[in-house]
Amino acid sequence: MSRNVLIKIALLVLILGGALMVLIKDDPRVPTGDINQIRPVMPVQESQYQEPEERAEQDQ
């Protein structure tokens, strides 16, 4: 076999193995609560004009 064919076979095995691993490790969770009321959780953003909460708590 040529080197090109061996590389293609190795890549195919790696891709299929990765896909199989994802399918096996996939653990879908049952939704809890009311799925009609989705509230996204936004990260807290600090502006440059505000003191971080940790500093404000330590100063008190």
Side-chain angles (χ1 to χ4, degrees):
M1 280 197 224
S2 70
R3 183 177 181 202
N4 195 18
V5 173
L6 290 174
I7 291 173
K8 287 181 182 179
I9 291 173
L11 287 175
L12 180 68
V13 168
L14 288 173
I15 291 171
L16 291 177
L20 186 62
M21 186 178 71
V22 167
L23 289 174
I24 290 173
K25 288 192 163 212
D26 187 26
D27 185 22
R29 309 261 172 167
V30 176
T32 58
D34 186 10
I35 62 172
N36 294 323
Q37 294 181 357
I38 298 174
R39 295 187 187 107
V41 177
M42 300 297 290
V44 176
Q45 296 181 355
E46 297 178 2
S47 80
Q48 59 185 350
Y49 304 109
Q50 289 179 321
E51 288 188 23
E53 290 181 22
E54 293 175 3
R55 278 193 206 159
E57 290 174 3
Q58 289 176 357
D59 291 342
Q60 292 176 355

